[in-house]
Amino acid sequence: MPEEISRRHLLGRTGAAAGLLMLGARRGAAEAPAPGAPDAPAPTASGGETPSVLVDLTRCIGCRACVRACQSANRLPETEAGALRTAGAGASQTAGTDAPASWPRQELAFDLWTAVNLNKKKDGNGRERSRFVKQQCMHCLEPACVSVCPVAALYKTEAGPVIYRAERCIGCRYCMVACPFDVPRFEWNSGLTPVIGKCQFCAQNRLFRGQGPACAEACPTGALKFGGRNNLLFEAHARINARPETYLPHIYGEHEVGGTSWLYISDIPFEELGFKRDLPKMPLPALTWDVIDKIPAIVAVLASLFAAVSLGLKRGEKSV
Amino acid sequence: MMVETAGWSVLILCSGIFLWGAWAAAVDRRPPFLAPALTGALSLLWSVAAVVLTVRFINGLGATTAMTDRFPWGVWIGLIQAGVAVSSGGYVVAATVHIFHIRRFEPVLRPMVLTAFLGYCFVAASLFIEVGRPYRLWHPIAMWQHHSIMFEVAWCVTLYMTVLALEFAPVVLERFRMHTAIRVMHIILMPLVIAGVILSTLHQSSLGSMFLIVPQKIHPLWSSPLLPVIYLISSVAVGLAMTMIASFFSSKAFGRALDASLLKSLASAAGLVLGLYFLVRAVDFTARGAWTSVLSPAWLGAFFALEMGAGVLWPALLFATAKSLDDPRRLVAGSFGVVFGVTLNRLCVSWFGMVPHTGPVYFPSSMELIISLALVAAAVAAFALAARFLPVFPAQDEGHARPEQAPRHAPLAPPSSLRSAKGPAPQVPAPEEA
C-alpha cells in the first residue's frame, strides 16, 4: 500500500514534468505540441503505430490502480468507489478472485472515464466464475461518435486517440446514442455548461509527450499493456496460442466495428462478462456515409426536376 | 414524488381540457364553461412550464427529465421528429400549388405554411431546451462536420425555417400593404418554393437516416436501411392529413365554410400515399425477415400493430371509401389517425424500439411532457392569433359565411377591406366555385 501511494504521488506530481523534460531533451523542445493542439506527431511511445492497450482479463486483480491513476492524471474527482479496497477482515471472498463480495460497483460517468467492475457468471457446472472488467472508451479505428458529431467536438486525432473538445460541444448527445459500446457520458446536473466525458487515451497530457496512458502505466499485474496496435495484436495471438486451454480464440476489438484501439483477451466468453455481442464487423460510419454522399446528387436531380416541372406546367397553364 | 404527482395532475387536467375543447369545436358545440376552462388551463400550463424551464436551466436536464446516461435521448427527441413530420404540410402544399400548379389547393397554402412555420418553431424551441448548451446551437453553421447527419439536419432546418418565414412574409406584407415588397417576394417565390421542397425532402428523410448508425440498438420492427424512405413517405402522408385537420378546425373556429371537394381530394391523395407507405414497409419487412420478431417482445408488437392499424390501414380505408369521403368528420378522424401513427412511429424508432437494448430504464418525467404540451399549446395559440390578425385565409365573399358575421370575433377581425385586398401576389386566390 504505501509503496503504491508513493508511486502514484511520484507519478502525479513529478512524473509528467520529468517525462516532458526528458522528452524535450531528446526531441528538442520546439517539437513539443502546443497545449490543446488536437493533433501531434505520431506518438513515439507506441513506436509510430496506432497507440493501443491490450487488456488481459485473466491478469486483472481488480485493484483499481488504473482508475485512480486516470483520476489523478486527468484531474478528475477522486470518488469513493475509486478508492482502493482490500479484502478487509470479515469480507467474504468471491470464489476464484481476491475480491470481497461487497465490492462497490462503479459506473462510468462524465467525470469517471474508466471503471473496473466484477462480473460474475455461473458456468455449466454451477461453479461461479468471475472476472474484473475494465471499461473505458475503446478508441475505435473508425469511431461512430466522431462521424455523428455535428460540430466535430468528438475528434479522431491523426495519431489515433478519439478526443473530446468541450469548447465545441452543443450537448446534443448523439455521440452517446451512436456509440456501439455506450461509453460517452453526459453531465446531467449542469444547467448551462454540461460536458460529455470519456477516456481521452491521455492524448494531450501524456501520449503526445511520449508517454503511454496513465492507467496502463499504473497496472501492477500486466493486465494492461500499452503499445502499438499491430505489436499488441501479435502478442495477443501469441498469448492465446501459447495457452489455448486457457484463452478463448477471440481478441475483442480486433474486428468489432472495424477494429478498436483497446483490445481484450479472456478465458471467459466476452458476452458473459457484459461485452456487447453481435456488433457488426464493418465500421459503423459507413452506414450513414452511404446516404450522405448521395445528397449532392439528390439535390441536383430534384432541383432540375422541380424547375423543369414547374416551368413546363406554368407554360402549359398560360397556353390554355 | 410530490412534485411528480403534481406534475402529472397538471398534465392530465390540461390535456383533458384541451381535448374537450377540440371535441366541442369538432361537433359544433360551445359549452358555456369551455372558454374560461381553456384560458385557465393555458395559464396553469404555461406557468408550470416556466417553473420547469427555470429548474432545467439552473439544475440541468437531470433535475427535470428522466434521461440518464443509459437513455440519453428521451421523449423530446421523438416529439421533435414528430413535430418536423407534422409540419410537412407546408412543403407538400407548396409543391402542389407552385411546382405542380394545381391551383385548387391555393386556399390551404397559407394556413399550411403558417402551420409548418409554427411547427418548426415548436421544434426549435424544443431543441433549445433539449440540448445541453442551447446558446451554441449555431455551432453547426460555423463548425462544419459534413459526415454527420445531424450537421445536415441542422443546416436544412435552419434554411427551411428561413424559407418558411419568407414564404409567409407576403401575408404580413399584405396586412401592412407593402406592395413593393410583395412584388419582390413574387419574383423570388418560385426558387424559394423549390428550395423549400428540396430542403424538406432532405431533412425529412435525414431524420430517419440519423438512426441508420445504430442498427444493433433498435428493435428489428423499426431498424431498417429504408428508414430515410419510410420517414419521407410518411411525412407526405401526415402533411396531407394535417392539411385536412387545419382546414377543418379553421372552418370551425373562424366560422368559414369548409371546402368539401378540397378535403375529398386531399383524402384521396393521402389514401394513395398511405397505400404506398404500407407497401414499402411490407416489402422492407419481408426483405429483412422482420416478421419473425413481431412478437418478441409482445408489447412492441402491439405498438407496431397500433402504428400500422390505427395510423395507416384504418385511415387508408376511411380515405378510400365513398361514404366517408362525403363526411368531413370521418376524414378528420382518419387524419388524426395518421398523425397519431406517425408520432408513434417516431417514438418507436427513437424510444420504444431501443428498450430491448437498454432495458426498461426510461419513462418520461411529467416535466418533460409539460414542456412539450406547453409548446404545442403555444403553437396552436400562435396559429389562432395569426389567423385572426393576418390574411391567412382567402377572402370569402360569395355567399359563404363571412368571418365578420360571427359576432364573437367581430371586434378582433381585421377590416374586410384588407381581407379582400388583392396585391400583385398570386397568393390571394380567386374564391373557389360558389
Side-chain angles (χ1 to χ4, degrees):
Chain A
M1 267 299 285
E3 201 181 296
E4 184 62 37
I5 285 170
S6 65
R7 185 163 164 239
R8 182 155 70 96
H9 180 83
L10 183 74
L11 276 175
R13 301 292 148 82
T14 60
L20 185 63
L21 278 174
M22 275 150 49
L23 187 74
R26 203 172 64 232
R27 293 196 310 179
E31 279 179 48
D39 276 315
T44 49
S46 55
E49 272 190 65
T50 302
S52 287
V53 176
L54 174 63
V55 187
D56 189 334
L57 294 181
T58 67
R59 297 189 184 184
C60 180
I61 57 166
C63 68
R64 288 180 174 164
C66 52
V67 178
R68 295 189 313 281
C70 173
Q71 289 172 334
S72 90
N74 296 295
R75 298 202 191 100
L76 300 173
E78 301 204 4
T79 50
E80 199 204 332
L84 183 66
R85 300 289 173 96
T86 50
S92 61
Q93 299 288 307
T94 306
T97 70
D98 303 325
S102 59
W103 193 263
R105 271 196 76 82
Q106 51 185 199
E107 297 289 342
L108 291 181
F110 78 97
D111 58 355
L112 185 68
W113 294 351
T114 186
V116 173
N117 284 303
L118 186 62
N119 284 284
K120 299 177 197 166
K121 189 79 188 177
K122 285 223 165 62
D123 68 5
N125 306 325
R127 204 168 54 102
E128 195 171 74
R129 300 204 294 177
S130 57
R131 288 291 171 269
F132 291 103
V133 177
K134 179 181 184 297
Q135 287 173 278
Q136 75 295 309
C137 172
M138 298 289 284
H139 294 275
C140 301
L141 302 185
E142 293 189 46
C145 59
V146 169
S147 96
V148 300
C149 180
V151 292
L154 285 152
Y155 180 78
K156 182 154 178 83
T157 56
E158 271 176 40
V162 178
I163 62 167
Y164 169 70
R165 304 182 288 185
E167 69 277 10
R168 290 172 164 251
C169 180
I170 51 180
C172 72
R173 311 188 298 287
Y174 195 6
C175 50
M176 305 172 74
V177 175
C179 174
F181 304 103
D182 292 333
V183 165
R185 302 294 148 116
F186 184 70
E187 189 177 4
W188 293 97
N189 290 318
S190 167
L192 281 168
T193 56
V195 292
I196 292 285
K198 74 162 200 71
C199 162
Q200 308 271 80
F201 214 106
C202 290
Q204 273 140 315
N205 51 352
R206 295 177 57 95
L207 195 69
F208 297 160
R209 295 169 176 174
Q211 295 169 297
C215 54
E217 193 173 288
C219 181
T221 65
L224 305 179
K225 181 171 183 180
F226 168 72
R229 189 166 185 272
N230 288 336
N231 286 339
L232 289 181
L233 278 174
F234 184 81
E235 172 154 359
H237 282 295
R239 283 193 207 173
I240 290 170
N241 291 337
R243 287 166 61 201
E245 72 287 356
T246 304
Y247 290 107
L248 294 161
H250 179 189
I251 303 174
Y252 193 91
E254 184 178 16
H255 300 299
E256 275 76 11
V257 293
T260 60
S261 300
W262 278 70
L263 305 163
Y264 288 74
I265 52 176
S266 171
D267 56 345
I268 295 183
F270 287 106
E271 55 267 28
E272 291 180 18
L273 296 174
F275 285 74
K276 305 279 180 216
R277 304 164 58 187
D278 305 330
L279 288 178
K281 286 207 171 11
M282 67 176 297
L284 297 173
L287 292 171
T288 39
W289 183 247
D290 285 351
V291 175
I292 294 177
D293 75 344
K294 294 188 179 67
I295 285 177
I298 293 174
V299 171
V301 169
L302 286 184
S304 23
L305 190 73
F306 287 144
V309 168
S310 174
L311 292 174
L313 288 177
K314 196 172 193 178
R315 188 168 298 168
E317 211 172 41
K318 271 181 189 152
S319 66
V320 167
Chain B
M1 206 58 233
M2 278 277 289
V3 174
E4 275 299 272
T5 314
W8 285 106
S9 313
V10 170
L11 206 54
I12 291 165
L13 181 72
C14 292
S15 359
I17 292 175
F18 295 153
L19 285 178
W20 179 37
W23 178 257
V27 299
D28 294 318
R29 243 185 259 142
R30 292 242 157 197
F33 298 115
L34 181 59
L38 281 175
T39 317
L42 276 182
S43 329
L44 176 68
L45 182 65
W46 284 338
S47 327
V48 174
V51 175
V52 174
L53 267 189
T54 313
V55 178
R56 180 258 171 267
F57 282 116
I58 292 173
N59 293 333
L61 288 165
T64 36
T65 74
M67 290 185 275
T68 57
D69 282 330
R70 298 166 73 188
F71 213 92
W73 275 0
V75 68
W76 280 343
I77 291 290
L79 292 180
I80 286 169
Q81 294 190 74
V84 173
V86 300
S87 304
S88 60
Y91 88 90
V92 172
V93 178
T96 309
V97 172
H98 287 305
I99 295 178
F100 297 104
H101 293 274
I102 308 175
R103 298 280 177 203
R104 304 176 43 225
F105 291 92
E106 201 147 347
V108 291
L109 178 58
R110 285 181 170 193
M112 290 326 286
V113 169
L114 177 61
T115 309
F117 183 69
L118 292 173
Y120 278 89
C121 287
F122 163 82
V123 166
S126 301
L127 273 175
F128 197 85
I129 300 161
E130 208 271 348
V131 304
R133 299 186 181 223
Y135 50 91
R136 286 183 179 172
L137 274 174
W138 57 273
H139 273 195
I141 307 300
M143 303 172 184
W144 289 31
Q145 206 290 85
H146 69 280
H147 285 254
S148 167
I149 294 274
M150 183 92 87
F151 165 77
E152 186 229 320
V153 170
W155 265 94
C156 282
V157 169
T158 310
L159 290 177
Y160 186 52
M161 278 192 80
T162 315
V163 167
L164 279 172
L166 288 173
E167 281 182 1
F168 192 70
V171 182
V172 182
L173 297 175
E174 252 173 53
R175 171 72 178 78
F176 296 103
R177 303 181 189 220
M178 299 163 83
H179 294 301
T180 324
I182 291 175
R183 220 164 282 141
V184 173
M185 290 305 302
H186 183 44
I187 294 166
I188 64 165
L189 183 69
M190 183 66 70
L192 204 60
V193 168
I194 292 179
V197 175
I198 293 172
L199 289 169
S200 294
T201 313
L202 288 183
H203 74 265
Q204 291 283 359
S205 57
S206 289
L207 285 177
S209 310
M210 275 177 53
F211 293 90
L212 289 177
I213 202 160
V214 285
Q216 78 283 11
K217 290 191 186 182
I218 304 179
H219 191 272
L221 285 172
W222 293 281
S223 170
S224 160
L226 286 186
L227 269 176
V229 178
I230 289 169
Y231 267 51
L232 182 64
I233 301 178
S234 56
S235 86
V236 176
V238 80
L240 294 166
M242 279 303 287
T243 311
M244 286 188 261
I245 291 174
S247 309
F248 180 79
F249 278 98
S250 306
S251 81
K252 296 293 175 192
F254 303 105
R256 307 176 53 80
L258 186 67
D259 187 339
S261 76
L262 206 63
L263 218 57
K264 227 188 254 186
S265 312
L266 287 166
S268 307
L272 283 178
V273 177
L274 285 174
L276 175 68
Y277 180 62
F278 185 79
L279 201 69
V280 168
R281 293 208 60 180
V283 169
D284 167 57
F285 251 67
T286 314
R288 292 187 294 115
W291 293 111
T292 53
S293 41
V294 160
L295 282 177
S296 55
W299 68 274
L300 274 185
F303 275 32
F304 177 73
L306 202 59
E307 184 205 329
M308 296 309 285
V312 181
L313 292 178
W314 175 64
L317 205 67
L318 276 181
F319 297 161
T321 44
K323 196 180 159 204
S324 45
L325 277 179
D326 291 325
D327 182 354
R329 278 179 197 156
R330 286 195 186 195
L331 296 184
V332 169
S335 301
F336 271 115
V338 178
V339 172
F340 168 79
V342 171
T343 305
L344 183 58
N345 173 261
R346 304 306 193 253
L347 288 171
C348 281
V349 171
S350 63
W351 170 12
F352 304 123
M354 300 255 188
V355 172
H357 173 81
T358 61
V361 293
Y362 170 79
F363 191 81
S365 73
S366 65
M367 293 190 256
E368 288 175 77
L369 294 173
I370 283 173
I371 291 287
S372 295
L373 187 64
L375 291 177
V376 172
V380 174
F383 185 92
L385 280 178
R388 206 169 272 186
F389 291 111
L390 297 170
V392 173
F393 292 99
Q396 281 189 336
D397 41 20
E398 293 199 15
H400 292 319
R402 293 167 64 114
E404 287 79 6
Q405 287 166 355
R408 61 181 180 274
H409 295 312
L412 286 169
S416 58
S417 61
L418 269 181
R419 295 197 153 225
S420 53
K422 281 192 185 172
Q427 284 81 9
V428 179
E432 282 293 308
E433 76 289 331

